[in-house]
Amino acid sequence: MTEDDLRKAVTAERGEQAELLAALSPEQWDAPTLCEGWRVREVVAHTTMPFRASLGRTLLELVRARGDFNRMADRCARRDAAELPPERLLASLRDNVAHPWTPPGGGVGGALSHDVIHGLDITVGLGLDRRVPPERVAMVLAGMRPKNIAFFGTDLTGVRLQATDIDWSHGAGTPLRGLAQDLLLVVCGRRLPPGRLTGEPAARFSR
């Protein structure tokens, strides 16, 4: 997997998300997602913020949040979602499908992970049957290191994650099976709608 492969995947993911978002109703833009406390509009405001904010402005926002990145992200997402209508947020995504932004220390793989995970926050939250190409999810999972998994703070003790659509597993213990994209959400600490996971631990990671 080369950096060029990752960049192509980022561009494709953003383009597909833009098409999906363009078809949403006003009610869906205000519907909740898997991101606690965020509607669709806050999630899109968050994923497109790097395209609108300069490095200097981002650092200023981080200072205002007393160095707490999550606090900064939440504050900026809520502000931009309140100020920008869906059409502007959608345009921000459409105009930047090939934008070179990468998260600090995350590289292009980090950008792909960011886009795929938040895209799933939207589609799974809305109950839409979007399947991210398995090979794209595999790229994200391949970039997951112990420190990345630890960042989300998800307790996976005694659980073996086992994908049903690609050759991927993680951990040791009682099997928890599902699509790779759903297991990715489990790793990220999201609680999924019932029926998406199978195995004895499924209830532990479902709503």
Side-chain angles (χ1 to χ4, degrees):
M1 178 173 42
T2 67
E3 183 169 310
D4 188 53
D5 293 330
L6 290 168
R7 289 198 178 279
K8 288 178 180 177
V10 168
T11 300
E13 178 65 21
R14 290 175 184 166
E16 291 167 22
Q17 286 189 25
E19 290 184 13
L20 183 144
L21 291 169
L24 297 186
S25 67
E27 291 76 19
Q28 287 174 309
W29 275 89
D30 285 325
T33 68
L34 297 188
C35 280
E36 190 69 31
W38 281 6
R39 300 165 296 172
V40 171
R41 63 173 66 234
E42 276 85 21
V43 175
V44 180
H46 172 67
T47 59
T48 58
M49 179 189 168
F51 311 146
R52 296 187 303 275
S54 66
L55 177 59
R57 177 183 164 188
T58 301
L59 291 175
L60 178 60
E61 295 288 357
L62 189 58
V63 170
R64 288 173 176 169
R66 299 179 182 178
D68 188 320
F69 178 82
N70 289 330
R71 181 185 300 157
M72 178 199 77
D74 184 64
R75 178 182 297 169
C76 291
R78 293 179 186 277
R79 179 200 63 209
D80 291 354
E83 294 178 355
L84 302 174
E87 300 78 30
R88 288 278 304 280
L89 293 172
L90 177 57
S92 187
L93 178 59
R94 274 180 167 160
D95 294 345
N96 291 283
V97 292
H99 195 284
W101 172 82
T102 60
V108 184
L112 179 63
S113 176
H114 188 256
D115 290 336
V116 168
I117 292 167
H118 284 307
L120 289 169
D121 284 329
I122 292 172
T123 56
V124 176
L126 291 178
L128 302 179
D129 188 26
R130 184 198 176 215
R131 293 279 297 273
V132 179
E135 63 273 14
R136 198 176 300 161
V137 183
M139 289 181 178
V140 175
L141 290 170
M144 284 282 180
R145 301 291 181 262
K147 68 175 183 178
N148 303 120
I149 295 174
F151 170 81
F152 295 104
T154 307
D155 183 8
L156 299 173
T157 305
V159 176
R160 176 176 175 80
L161 305 180
Q162 189 170 341
T164 57
D165 55 338
I166 64 172
D167 183 16
W168 181 84
S169 63
H170 172 80
T174 306
L176 177 67
R177 300 181 180 89
L179 296 175
Q181 65 182 43
D182 289 334
L183 296 182
L184 173 61
L185 289 172
V186 167
V187 170
C188 297
R190 275 44 166 189
R191 294 179 66 84
L192 303 183
R196 298 185 73 98
L197 303 169
T198 60
E200 187 275 329
R204 177 175 153 191
F205 299 99
S206 301
R207 291 176 181 172

